[in-house]
Amino acid sequence: MGLENELEGMPVLATRLDEVINWGRKYALWPLPYGTACCAIEFMGVVSSRFDVSRFGAELVRFSPRQADLLLVMGTITQKMAPVLKQIYDQMPNPKWVVSMGACASSGGFYDNYSVVQGIDELIPVDVYVAGCPPRPENVIGAIVKIQEKISHESIRNWR
Amino acid sequence: MTEREIMARVQAKLGAKVLQAYEFRGQCAVTIAPSELRPLLTWLRDDSDIQTDWLLDVGGVDYLGYSPTDGSGDDDREWRYEVAYQLYSMRHNHRFRVKVAVAEPNLVVPSVWDLWGIANWMEREVWDLYGIRFEGHPNLRRILCHDEFVGHALRKDYPINKRQKLTSPVENILCEKAEWA
C-alpha cells in the first residue's frame, strides 16, 4: 500500500483506539436486508455487479439479526408486521445502525391508510432516510457512505 | 355461451327471486337474496352448459351514501351491502357474476367453501374488511388485519384517519395455535 515505505521499517504504528476500531467497523458493515416491497428489488441491483456495494465493504448480507449491524428497512411496513420489525431490531447486537429506504419505510408513502405504519421511526430509531420510490441504487450507496461518516465520528466509550 | 344467455337462464329458473339484473358492456350480473345463493351457485357450477368450475373472486361492496354517477337518480337498493361472486368456466370460457343483497342488521351469507375450496380465504377477507359473516365457514377469522383490530376497515363509515396498533409481542403472532385452514 506504500505505507510500509513511510514507516521505514518501524514495526508499530501509534493511533487512537476510536480511529482504528471505527475504521474497521465502517468498512465491514454486515447488512440485514429487511425487504418487504419493491425497494428490496432495487437493493438486488445495489448488491450485484453493476453498482456493487462491496466496493464500500457492505456486501456481506446476513439474514440473522445476531450477525448483522446494519438494518436496511426496504419497503412498506404494515401494522401487522410492526412487532416483527421491532423484534428483529432488538435482536441485533450493539453497535447497530438503521437505514430507512424509500418513501414507505420513511413515511408510509402513499399508503396513508388503516393498515400501514406511517414511518418506521414510530417503532425503532433511524440513522439515515433515503428518499425515492424506489430510490436509485446510488442513493442507497450514498446512505451507506453517510452511515460510514457517522461511524467515524462515534466513540467506543459511549455506545448507544 | 354469452353472459346474456346465462342471465336469461338464471332469470327463467329463479323468476321473481332475482332482485336486480343488469347488463353493462356485455357483462351481466344478477342480485339475489342470501337464501337463494347456495342453490344457484351449485346449479351454475354443475349445469353442463354453464359449468362455472372456477370461483375467481369474492368481494364485498358497501353502498352507504352511494348515488349513481350516470344521472339515473338515487340508488334504489333497499340493502346496504352486497357480496359479489365472480364465476368463470374453464371448460366453456365464459364468465358470470352473482351478487347477494345483505341488509342490516343481519349481515349473514351462507358459506360456499365446500363448493370451491378457495372461497375459504376469500370469505375471510370479506369478513375482515366488511364484517359480513359467512354461515358454515370452518375458520372465520381475520385474514389481513391483525387480531387486535376493532371494526371493519373498508366500511364507508370507518374513520379514514383511524390507526390501530398491534401491541402484543411477536411470539403471540407466530405461535398461533389455530389451524391454518
Side-chain angles (χ1 to χ4, degrees):
Chain A
M1 291 169 69
L3 192 64
E4 63 276 16
N5 298 331
E6 298 290 322
L7 294 176
E8 291 175 356
M10 277 202 298
V12 291
L13 174 66
T15 182
R16 288 168 56 230
L17 192 57
D18 278 347
E19 294 288 336
V20 69
I21 286 181
N22 287 344
W23 176 78
R25 278 179 181 164
K26 70 189 211 183
Y27 295 124
L29 287 165
W30 287 21
L32 186 151
Y34 197 95
T36 51
C38 33
C39 279
I41 307 294
E42 203 69 9
F43 181 72
M44 295 176 196
V46 178
V47 291
S48 46
S49 53
R50 178 179 283 266
F51 296 98
D52 194 12
V53 77
S54 68
R55 294 179 293 156
F56 303 87
E59 83 280 15
L60 194 59
V61 171
R62 296 280 101 181
F63 291 97
S64 165
R66 302 292 190 204
Q67 300 173 346
D69 53 6
L70 175 63
L71 180 61
L72 297 172
V73 183
M74 307 176 286
T76 322
I77 302 298
T78 58
Q79 303 284 5
K80 205 172 181 176
M81 180 64 85
V84 180
L85 177 63
K86 177 75 165 62
Q87 172 136 333
I88 294 283
Y89 176 80
D90 290 343
Q91 284 173 335
M92 288 171 62
N94 273 322
K96 56 190 171 186
W97 299 272
V98 177
V99 171
S100 168
M101 175 179 172
C104 290
S106 303
S107 71
F110 55 62
Y111 300 108
D112 184 8
N113 64 19
Y114 61 91
S115 63
V116 174
V117 177
Q118 302 297 298
I120 59 165
D121 46 13
E122 291 182 9
L123 308 165
I124 57 177
V126 176
D127 294 288
V128 177
Y129 299 87
V130 187
C133 183
R136 289 281 307 165
E138 294 93 327
N139 296 23
V140 182
I141 290 173
I144 289 170
V145 172
K146 283 274 183 208
I147 292 280
Q148 290 176 341
E149 286 170 12
K150 186 166 185 172
I151 292 172
S152 62
H153 293 114
E154 289 177 356
S155 171
I156 57 167
R157 261 166 294 197
N158 44 21
W159 280 1
R160 286 174 291 174
Chain B
M1 208 187 290
T2 64
E3 297 192 24
R4 191 179 298 174
E5 288 166 337
I6 298 174
M7 185 160 74
R9 291 204 186 186
V10 171
Q11 284 174 312
K13 182 176 164 64
L14 290 184
K17 289 175 181 171
V18 175
L19 303 175
Q20 283 183 344
Y22 71 85
E23 177 178 343
F24 179 74
R25 293 184 181 171
Q27 297 186 5
C28 294
V30 293
T31 309
I32 55 172
S35 57
E36 308 300 324
L37 178 72
R38 284 187 57 89
L40 178 63
L41 290 191
T42 309
W43 178 73
L44 287 170
R45 187 190 67 160
D46 296 336
D47 185 88
S48 59
D49 290 340
I50 301 173
Q51 208 168 343
T52 54
D53 43 17
W54 185 3
L55 179 64
L56 290 172
D57 201 2
V58 178
V61 191
D62 182 358
Y63 283 100
L64 183 71
Y66 172 76
S67 64
T69 53
D70 60 0
S72 60
D74 291 336
D75 183 33
D76 56 355
R77 284 180 183 79
E78 292 164 8
W79 49 88
R80 176 173 166 183
Y81 298 98
E82 284 178 3
V83 179
Y85 296 79
Q86 321 288 345
L87 304 171
Y88 178 68
S89 171
M90 283 188 278
R91 181 167 195 84
H92 300 299
N93 186 25
H94 57 213
R95 293 158 202 271
F96 194 60
R97 181 177 301 139
V98 175
K99 296 180 177 184
V100 180
V102 189
E104 289 179 310
N106 193 27
L107 305 179
V108 181
V109 174
S111 173
V112 295
W113 78 280
D114 54 331
L115 301 178
W116 296 276
I118 189 65
N120 187 317
W121 282 14
M122 295 169 176
E123 289 174 349
R124 281 177 65 185
E125 185 179 351
V126 174
W127 155 249
D128 189 358
L129 299 175
Y130 290 95
I132 296 167
R133 286 193 297 113
F134 288 86
E135 203 156 31
H137 192 288
N139 183 25
L140 195 64
R141 294 182 298 130
R142 290 184 183 275
I143 190 169
L144 294 175
C145 294
H146 54 76
D147 289 343
E148 294 174 18
F149 201 90
V150 179
H152 303 282
L154 288 192
R155 285 186 176 184
K156 292 296 178 191
D157 52 3
Y158 184 86
I160 196 166
N161 292 321
K162 189 174 178 186
R163 303 282 182 267
Q164 301 193 34
K165 286 187 170 33
L166 176 56
T167 56
S168 62
V170 71
E171 289 81 7
N172 298 2
I173 306 164
L174 298 179
C175 303
E176 221 167 41
K177 291 287 194 298
E179 288 180 20
W180 291 87

